[in-house]
Structure formats: structure tokens, C-alpha cells
Amino acid sequence: MLANLSIRDIVLIDRLDLALGAGLNVLTGETGAGKSILLDALGLALGARADRALVRQGAEQGSVTAAFDLTPDHAACERLADNGMDHGDGQLILRRQITTDGRSRAWVNDQPVSQTLLAEIGTLLVEIHGQHDDRGLLDPAAHRDLLDAFAGNAEARAEVAAAYETLRAEEDVLSEAEASLVEARRDEDFLRHAVEELVSLDPEPGEEEKLDEDRALMMQGEKLMEELGTFHSELTKDGGVDATVRGVLRRMLRQDGPLAARLEPVSAALDRAAIELGEAVAGLEALQADLEFDPAALERIEERLFEIRRLARKHGCPAGDLPGLKERLQAKLAALDAGDEAVLAAKGRVTAARAALKAKVTGLSARRQKAAAALDAAVMAELPPLKLEKAQFHTAIEALPEHLWGAAGGDSVAFEVKTNPGTPFGPLVKIASGGELARFILALKVVLAKGSSAPTMVFDEVDRGIGGATADAVGERLKRLSIEAQVLVVTHSPQVAARGGLHFRIEKADVAGGTRTSVVPLAIEERREEVARMLAGAEITPEARAAADRLLEAV
């Protein structure tokens, strides 16, 4: 609920701190005392357009702060959390500042926010209802949600939304399958030829690099063979280095006496050297065998290397990607061959999903029809006491064609009224006059109260143009509405004022430097005088005070 409203330098208000309570808060005062200023200030804190004319004359800037006490799971707190902002465990403080040059700044819990976000938060916190201002009830786009809230259709709505999303997903899969099939068939001849070429060539990963190396070695084969031959000749001439080393080693081993012991390390090293030399000569001979120049082998390598590179250029990919490309094209060809089956299966799933959605939509529509009848009866019961006995209220539900179904189902919903017999039903805003509209809104709000997410409702002169029993009926409904939510009502009716839990009088007075508007909370005796004033007018009589007592005692 709105716990506190602080206003600084707005129009005729220089400083105002207003502590509000739960239930019904009434604001009364003489015409022109400044009730509209209070509502304009509240609207500013809730994100309304900032007009520099709101800044009090002589001041450089004005500001409004609205403090709300909420549950931490309230939609406004969740909206702040979605924006990565602190919601103060349910205590929200909205602050708006405007300067004389028209610049505006906004904060929520001392965190700067845009006017757009402030307005979004504001709509979740307060509903302001005037004779020509009710966004939810006058906007047909909101009527379906209001009916569902009245009917308790949250679970049924969630099931419809889930079924709708499933259908959307299956339709996307079908579209992709059909598009893939069309594309594959368009390129089928190319695809089959490409797969045939790749399968025939059967390239292997890294094959191009290996073939390139082999080709380079074979092209240098004769020169390399000559060099290797020279190496071998020098190592093996005159018996070879290995034979020389082993001859020396044999003579060393025949030595005895002191020299033999001292030659042991030398002979061991020569023995190791002889083994290494033998292995080196054998490796050189094996290399000569491998590099034996073969013109036919070189031609085969060059032909395969050319074919690999040709296909790589043809498909616009590195040669190393050809094995992967072969697998992808084979899979695409397999998908083409199985394309009809895939599309047929996808169509079957779409048909099943559509049938499931139709069942959920039909069930939700039936719940709406039943709830609409109950809503119509409940609203109609509220109208006669509000001096709308000739009026009729009707919830029009129209079944939408299937292609217009969505996550909210397959119905359009509109609240319609007619105020005189023989006239057709029409939208609230077009049929009802200003005073009638305000009372229709009140009747609807009383019936729909439990479905409202806004913790605070403001009614601006909902009782204009009525009096007596009708005004009393308005007051009774406002009181009933205040059980479900905090209600602030600006009223000229003593019958409405008498039902308030808290009563504030708005006053305007001339002070040094100009005219100022103030808001005064009234104690019991002060309430009696104010209600008497509202009954009697300029001069408060004993009869008016007695009548005020009866009104206050009656509630």
C-alpha cells in the first residue's frame, strides 16, 4: 500500500508529508482547494509526464516521494529484480524531481531509473480511476485478463500457453524440414554427383600434406640418391669405418698386463661406436631403398594430389576438410532420401499439437463463458443501488479463427454496456456518460477486486452528480473494495466521507508570499465538523452536526 506521500514545491504545495493507512482513505475539501494538485503530484511520482508548470512559483525545482509497503513477491518487486535492481524486501520508495526548465529525474530506492521504467512500476502499484481515466477497464485489450483473473483461470491459461508454445515449436520443426527437403531436391543432382566423387576419391585426413611431401622427395629422388651414395661409399670404402674400428678393437683386446686394464674404457667406447656405425650404415641403406626414384609412382601421387585439390576448389574448402564434407553430404543425401518420411512425421506431430491446443482452448473458452455469466450477474446486482437500474452490463466473448489463437487462448473479450432499453450494447467509454462511467467502473472494481494486482486504488470524485441513497451506495462499495486493497477517494459526498477509515481535509489559504494548499488529517471531532460542512454548506447548523453524527455512527 501507499504508506507515505511527500511533496515539495509542487504548484501551491510548498511542503507536505502525508501518512496514509490501509482501508479507505477519504480526501475532502472545498471546490478549488487543490485536490487535483495532490493527484497530479502522485501521478508524477508514478511516472506521469513531467510538466515544468508543476514547479511552485519561486522555486527552482519540485519533488514528490511515494513510499510503498509491499510483499517481496509483488509484481513491482519482480519487475525491479528483472532489471537487476534492489527492491528493498518489499519497501519501495519512488522519487521524482522536476526543474523549472522541464528536466526530470527519477529514482526507485535511491537507484536512478528511466521515466519508462518508473511508469511501468507505477502502473503495478496504483490504479487511478477518474471519470475519464481508467486504463484497464476502458481498454478492451485488458478485458480478457480481467475476466480470467475473476474466473481463476491462471492454471488453464498456463496450460493453453504451454500447448501453444508446443504447437509453435512443432510448426517450426515442420517448416525447417520442408525447407530442407525443397533445398535438397533443388540441388539433388549436384549432391549425388558430389557424393559419388568424394566416395570414389575417399580422401583421408592429412593426406594432402603427406602426398605433397612424398612428391617433393620423389622429384628430388636422383639428386638425393647420388648424395646418399656418396655418404655410403665414404663410410664403407676400404672395408668401412666399422671394419677399421673393429680391427683396432681386436688388437686392443689381445693386450695383457697393466696396459690391458687401462685400455678397458677405450675398448668399451670403441665397441659402442662400432655398433652405432653399423646401425647408421644400415639406416642409410634403408633410406636409399625408400628413395629409389620411380616415375610411375610419382605420376600416381601427382594425379591424386591434383584430384584432391580440384575437389577442394570445387567445394570452396581446404583440402583437409574434404573427409568431413563427404560425411556431411552423405548425411544430407540420406536426409533427402528420408525427407518425405521426416516431413510426414513432423506433420503428424503438428496435427497432434494442434489438437491438444484446440482441446485446451475449448476448455478455457468454456470456463470463460461460465465466468462471464457470473461476472455479468455480479455487476448487474451492483448497478441498481448506484442509480443505474436501467443499465445492463454484458461480457461479450467472440471466438477467434484458429490462425489468431495465441498463448492466451482463442477468444476476444470486451465489457459492454447499454444504459437505456432498446439501445444496443457498446463499449463502456462510448456508451456511458461521465458520471455513469465512474459508477460502472466502481461496480466492476468491487466485483473484480480480488483479481487486482495494484495494492492501491485512487478514485477521483466517483460520486460526482449523485447524492442521497446513491451516494451512500457508492460509499458502501468503496468501503467494501477497501477490504481487498487500499483505497483513496477524493469526494464531495458526506455519505462517502463518513465511511473513511482515515479522513483528510484539503485546504487552501493565503499566506505571506502567496496561496498555499495543505492536507490536514482529521480527528473524530474534526471529522464531524467536516461532514457537517459537506451536508450544510457555508453555515454549519446543529441539524447538520446531528446528521453528521448519524452518518458517522451508521458506519
Side-chain angles (χ1 to χ4, degrees):
M1 71 171 191
L2 176 59
N4 292 279
L5 182 65
S6 297
I7 304 172
R8 301 290 185 271
D9 296 317
I10 296 295
V11 193
L12 299 179
I13 299 175
D14 56 354
R15 184 182 184 89
L16 174 63
D17 294 294
L18 192 61
L20 298 162
L24 181 58
N25 296 257
V26 298
L27 297 99
T28 62
E30 297 284 358
T31 300
K35 293 183 288 292
S36 62
I37 300 174
L38 202 64
L39 296 184
D40 287 344
L42 177 58
L44 191 65
L46 298 174
R49 186 180 67 85
D51 186 346
R52 62 184 178 182
L54 290 173
V55 180
R56 182 175 63 82
Q57 188 174 3
E60 295 182 357
Q61 66 180 31
S63 67
V64 184
T65 302
F68 291 85
D69 290 332
L70 308 168
T71 57
D73 61 349
H74 189 271
C77 298
E78 293 177 355
R79 185 72 181 89
L80 287 175
D82 291 342
N83 282 270
M85 300 176 67
D86 175 38
H87 54 70
D89 291 329
Q91 184 177 54
L92 296 192
I93 300 177
L94 279 56
R95 184 160 61 94
R96 187 83 175 279
Q97 184 183 85
I98 180 174
T99 60
T100 52
D101 58 5
R103 289 182 298 172
S104 169
R105 300 174 66 192
W107 298 264
V108 176
N109 288 353
D110 290 328
Q111 302 164 99
V113 297
S114 66
Q115 179 189 347
T116 300
L117 179 57
L118 182 67
E120 291 177 9
I121 298 297
T123 58
L124 297 173
L125 296 174
V126 178
E127 292 179 2
I128 298 179
H129 305 296
Q131 293 189 39
H132 305 290
D133 180 25
D134 189 281
R135 302 294 183 267
L137 294 180
L138 296 187
D139 181 6
H143 292 174
R144 182 170 56 192
D145 291 343
L146 291 169
L147 176 62
D148 284 336
F150 172 78
N153 284 340
E155 184 176 348
R157 278 276 293 258
E159 291 176 355
V160 168
Y164 176 71
E165 290 304 320
T166 298
L167 175 60
R168 288 277 304 272
E170 294 296 352
E171 286 177 337
D172 289 344
V173 170
L174 174 59
S175 296
E176 291 176 6
E178 290 176 333
S180 296
L181 185 59
V182 169
E183 179 184 358
R185 281 181 172 160
R186 184 178 61 243
D187 301 327
E188 183 175 2
D189 291 341
F190 168 78
L191 182 62
R192 293 191 181 278
H193 178 68
V195 169
E196 184 179 343
E197 282 186 316
L198 288 167
V199 169
S200 176
L201 182 63
D202 194 22
E204 298 178 358
E207 185 178 5
E208 182 202 23
E209 293 82 356
K210 185 177 183 306
L211 289 173
D212 200 33
E213 291 175 2
D214 291 347
R215 175 172 172 270
L217 287 173
M218 293 189 73
M219 291 180 68
Q220 299 178 42
E222 289 181 306
K223 181 179 180 181
L224 290 172
M225 286 294 291
E226 183 180 340
E227 289 288 341
L228 293 176
T230 301
F231 300 154
H232 187 270
S233 176
E234 290 182 0
L235 288 172
T236 59
K237 70 181 177 179
D238 299 331
V241 177
D242 177 50
T244 301
V245 170
R246 290 193 178 278
V248 172
L249 181 60
R250 284 194 296 273
R251 291 198 301 275
M252 284 184 179
L253 293 174
R254 287 198 292 268
Q255 300 297 318
D256 56 11
L259 182 59
R262 300 187 68 175
L263 282 174
E264 280 185 9
V266 178
S267 61
L270 287 174
D271 186 46
R272 292 194 301 273
I275 294 172
E276 294 289 343
L277 283 169
E279 291 178 355
V281 171
L284 187 59
E285 290 171 350
L287 186 57
Q288 284 178 299
D290 289 341
L291 293 179
E292 183 178 358
F293 179 68
D294 183 354
L298 176 61
E299 183 177 358
R300 288 194 299 272
I301 287 175
E302 287 185 329
E303 286 178 353
R304 185 163 181 81
L305 187 60
F306 173 81
E307 187 64 12
I308 287 174
R309 288 175 172 172
R310 181 186 73 81
L311 287 182
R313 288 193 303 272
K314 177 180 179 179
H315 294 287
C317 67
D321 289 351
L322 288 177
L325 176 65
K326 181 187 73 171
E327 294 179 0
R328 292 194 297 275
L329 293 183
Q330 284 177 320
K332 201 169 184 179
L333 189 59
L336 172 62
D337 293 335
D340 288 332
E341 289 81 359
V343 169
L344 188 61
K347 285 182 177 179
R349 291 193 298 272
V350 167
T351 299
R354 184 172 287 118
L357 175 61
K358 186 173 183 178
K360 296 296 183 184
V361 166
T362 301
L364 178 58
S365 295
R367 290 177 62 91
R368 284 173 174 160
Q369 291 288 351
K370 183 177 179 181
L375 176 63
D376 293 350
V379 174
M380 288 293 292
E382 297 291 335
L383 297 182
L386 296 175
K387 206 175 179 179
L388 292 169
E389 60 277 351
K390 294 182 179 180
Q392 294 185 45
F393 176 86
H394 171 63
T395 303
I397 301 178
E398 179 184 356
L400 299 172
E402 284 195 31
H403 70 276
L404 294 180
W405 288 5
D411 307 300
S412 68
V413 177
F415 297 154
E416 297 180 342
V417 299
K418 65 177 181 178
T419 55
N420 293 295
T423 59
F425 280 97
L428 273 168
V429 70
K430 292 184 178 179
I431 300 298
S433 65
E436 291 172 334
L437 181 60
R439 280 173 277 147
F440 267 117
I441 288 170
L442 177 58
L444 269 169
K445 272 300 171 186
V446 168
V447 174
L448 297 173
K450 290 186 178 180
S452 176
S453 62
T456 299
M457 300 181 194
V458 178
F459 289 86
D460 181 14
E461 299 187 5
V462 68
D463 51 1
R464 177 178 293 181
I466 59 174
T470 305
D472 187 59
V474 168
E476 188 274 331
R477 279 149 183 79
L478 288 170
K479 186 69 173 181
R480 198 192 322 163
L481 186 59
S482 71
I483 297 172
E484 301 294 339
Q486 180 190 43
V487 175
L488 278 68
V489 57
V490 175
T491 180
H492 288 288
S493 167
Q495 292 88 346
V496 173
R499 291 183 178 271
L502 290 178
H503 190 158
F504 303 89
R505 183 173 62 238
I506 303 174
E507 301 175 344
K508 184 167 67 174
D510 293 330
V511 298
T515 302
R516 295 289 180 267
T517 290
S518 61
V519 179
V520 180
L522 301 182
I524 296 297
E525 186 59 31
E526 293 170 315
R527 288 192 67 186
R528 174 175 176 264
E529 288 297 297
E530 177 66 6
V531 172
R533 180 198 63 78
M534 298 172 74
L535 286 165
E539 183 180 350
I540 303 177
T541 63
E543 291 78 11
R545 290 189 177 94
D549 287 336
R550 286 193 295 273
L551 284 176
L552 290 167
E553 290 169 1
V555 297

